[in-house]
Amino acid sequence: MAQRKRTAVLISGRGSNMNALISAALDPNYPAEIALVLSNRPDAAGLERAARFGIPTAVVDHKDFPGDREAFERQVDTVLKDHNIELVALAGFMRILTPFLVNAWTNRMINIHPALLPSFKGLATHERALEEGVKLHGATVHFVSAEMDDGPIIVQGAVPVLDGDTPDTLAARVLEVEHKIYPKALALVAAGKTKVTGARVTTRGDEEVAPALIWP
Ligand code: GRF
């Protein structure tokens, strides 16, 4: 098998998507290894969990770089390079990125967003999905580009919106699909099966990996 891609997961909080990626990467045939978990918050719950798996962790606290997002990102970039990282997976990393980090990792940095992009960019996606009355909601894994919650879409997972839903019940249903599509998307990227043409990602080489996942 080709060398597994050294992947960093960037978090700010509980890290359930991080967990899903770590679990997938326990399989030696998975094309990525989680080589670093980096948080901008020293108290992120995910750090402890990553350490329990024996994964190196790092904290780059954005509060140490007041008013200077790029200086913060330069430090993040330095830590990524120190760990010989090849791919970056943002998993609830709550920082708006500047062009510096985005350009440094073009087509090598992916993000998960809890909505079917390009609908509902930004925060409070489940509240807004309910307000708008959509019947299908879901999650998207995409390459990171200069615009927030934008960039070529790799995998999407859809869930139904049910009549009795609250933002919390809907969020829980979406989170379940997040945990399925993120490992799938990282596998596609790490195995070199994605091709980006403009806004479009096509996948090749493995008929069994459906690039779009509809659930249930
Ligand atoms: C997820 O809903 C993800 O889509 C969004 O932030 C949340 C992070 O949750 N970007 P977790 O830390 O992975 O549990």
Side-chain angles (χ1 to χ4, degrees):
M1 196 184 75
Q3 199 81 10
R4 280 149 54 95
K5 282 273 185 314
R6 290 180 61 80
T7 302
V9 183
L10 271 51
I11 63 170
S12 300
R14 71 186 160 178
S16 72
N17 279 289
M18 173 204 78
N19 268 352
L21 297 178
I22 290 173
S23 298
L26 290 176
D27 177 352
N29 291 317
Y30 191 76
E33 73 166 294
I34 308 306
L36 175 70
V37 170
L38 184 152
S39 172
N40 66 307
R41 296 181 56 118
D43 60 348
L47 285 172
E48 207 180 302
R49 266 197 252 157
R52 260 188 265 136
F53 278 94
I55 295 169
T57 60
V59 174
V60 181
D61 191 340
H62 62 278
K63 292 191 181 136
D64 293 340
F65 304 85
D68 194 344
R69 283 183 191 273
E70 194 173 313
F72 163 73
E73 291 181 359
R74 284 190 187 281
Q75 184 56 28
V76 170
D77 193 52
T78 298
V79 174
L80 296 175
K81 292 206 172 100
D82 286 349
H83 286 80
N84 297 315
I85 295 303
E86 302 169 279
L87 286 177
V88 176
L90 307 180
F93 186 62
M94 301 301 282
R95 302 306 296 163
I96 290 172
L97 301 182
T98 77
F100 169 74
L101 205 62
V102 173
N103 293 336
W105 291 88
T106 303
N107 290 348
R108 297 183 301 149
M109 181 184 278
I110 63 180
N111 179 47
I112 186 153
H113 181 71
L116 290 172
L117 291 173
S119 294
F120 308 122
K121 297 178 179 181
L123 297 173
T125 55
H126 310 304
E127 285 84 345
R128 288 188 285 140
L130 288 172
E131 269 164 32
E132 296 289 347
V134 296
K135 297 296 183 199
L136 274 181
H137 187 42
T140 302
V141 182
H142 62 95
F143 285 107
V144 174
S145 69
E147 301 291 315
M148 192 184 62
D149 298 329
D150 203 74
I153 291 171
I154 305 162
V155 178
Q156 292 189 304
V159 303
V161 178
L162 304 179
D163 286 352
D165 268 335
T166 64
D168 284 348
T169 59
L170 187 53
R173 195 173 307 119
V174 171
L175 195 62
E176 230 180 282
V177 88
E178 290 185 40
H179 297 161
K180 291 181 186 173
I181 65 172
Y182 213 177
K184 189 184 264 272
L186 176 60
L188 286 170
V189 175
K193 288 178 179 164
T194 50
K195 183 171 170 232
V196 183
T197 313
R200 192 140 184 244
V201 178
T202 48
T203 55
R204 58 173 173 243
D206 188 345
E207 302 311 321
E208 284 180 24
V209 184
L213 174 73
I214 306 293
W215 180 92

